[in-house]
Amino acid sequence: MIQIYKEQRENIEARLLGIKNGSTRVIKNALNKAVEIARDDIVKKVQETYTVKPKSAITKTIEIRKANNKDLTASITSRGTAVPLINFNVRPSKPQYKRKNRSILYAEVKRGEGGIIKRAFVTRGRKTGNLGVFERVGTSRYPIYQKYGPSIPTMVGARNIRLHVETNARKILNQLIEEEIEKLIEGK
């Protein structure tokens, strides 16, 4: 969570003395730019840590609420469900129907931390027709269940990603506040 403290706001108001709604305009513009940059930083850091693909799957789950003149708060939230395991690094990535050439399924969710999943295979689901990693429950052919990795919000909320993004967002917000103050003073 990134906040603008009372002392920081008073400092901005003192520097912009005589400019109507100067501090509000500066804070609003800086916050809105900072959340856009933070979203891109989140996507980049998730892709560095996890093998999830495509990039658009991450971006779809992220929602930005921008600041306005009445409410000087901006937020980033991520909502979504578990991601099918096939959207991570899985080998083989296509169905193998010939029994003698079948290879053991290997999956890597976090970069550098992969492993073999026994009794799992890649095929198309009967109901949806989508490609996925499935596993048999018993000794019979059916039922089979699709396997999932973590959800995007879980990945975004991972401690290392969250701390990295918060630290960068604080630095960027402070830089943007200074830039916005300079713009406002020059444009006065």
Side-chain angles (χ1 to χ4, degrees), residues 18 46 52 108 115 133 161 167 179 185:
V46 166
V52 67
E108 181 181 42
V133 175
I161 294 174
T167 306
E179 289 174 15
I185 290 173

Side-chain angles (χ1 to χ4, degrees), residues 82-93:
V83 178
L85 194 58
I86 195 73
N87 290 343
F88 292 92
N89 185 15
V90 176
R91 289 187 306 255
S93 59

Side-chain angles (χ1 to χ4, degrees), residues 2 5 7 9 17 37 45 53 55-56 65-66 68-69 80-81 90 106 110 114 123 128 130 142 148 157 165 174:
I2 300 124
Y5 298 102
E7 300 86 27
R9 177 141 187 178
L17 203 61
I37 293 168
K45 193 67 178 169
K53 52 190 174 191
K55 180 180 173 181
S56 63
R65 197 179 113 236
K66 292 190 173 187
N68 57 46
N69 290 335
T81 59
V90 176
Y106 172 85
K110 249 185 163 179
T123 191
T128 62
N130 294 335
Y142 293 103
Y148 291 89
V165 170
N174 291 332

Side-chain angles (χ1 to χ4, degrees), residues 146-166:
Q146 188 168 4
K147 300 195 68 64
Y148 291 89
S151 65
I152 301 292
T154 303
M155 293 181 227
V156 170
R159 182 175 165 78
N160 65 331
I161 294 174
R162 191 173 26 88
L163 291 176
H164 172 79
V165 170
E166 284 180 3

Side-chain angles (χ1 to χ4, degrees), residues 23-133:
S23 65
T24 303
R25 289 173 17 202
V26 164
I27 293 169
K28 178 190 75 167
N29 291 341
L31 279 172
N32 289 341
K33 288 178 184 176
V35 293
E36 292 284 339
I37 293 168
R39 178 192 54 205
D40 297 339
D41 197 23
I42 288 170
V43 172
K44 181 182 171 193
K45 193 67 178 169
V46 166
Q47 285 193 308
E48 284 176 6
T49 309
Y50 295 92
T51 61
V52 67
K53 52 190 174 191
K55 180 180 173 181
S56 63
I58 302 167
T59 310
K60 278 187 217 172
T61 67
I62 297 174
E63 183 182 311
I64 293 178
R65 197 179 113 236
K66 292 190 173 187
N68 57 46
N69 290 335
K70 293 180 181 178
D71 184 18
L72 290 176
T73 57
S75 64
I76 300 174
T77 54
S78 179
R79 291 191 178 104
T81 59
V83 178
L85 194 58
I86 195 73
N87 290 343
F88 292 92
N89 185 15
V90 176
R91 289 187 306 255
S93 59
K94 294 181 180 164
Q96 295 183 323
Y97 297 112
K98 293 186 180 180
R99 188 152 183 85
K100 55 183 157 174
N101 293 338
R102 275 192 202 155
S103 58
I104 298 171
L105 190 109
Y106 172 85
E108 181 181 42
V109 174
K110 249 185 163 179
R111 294 201 185 276
E113 298 180 16
I116 294 171
I117 303 175
K118 293 182 180 178
R119 299 180 47 93
F121 54 94
V122 177
T123 191
R124 295 199 175 274
R126 291 181 88 188
K127 293 180 182 176
T128 62
N130 294 335
L131 200 61
V133 175

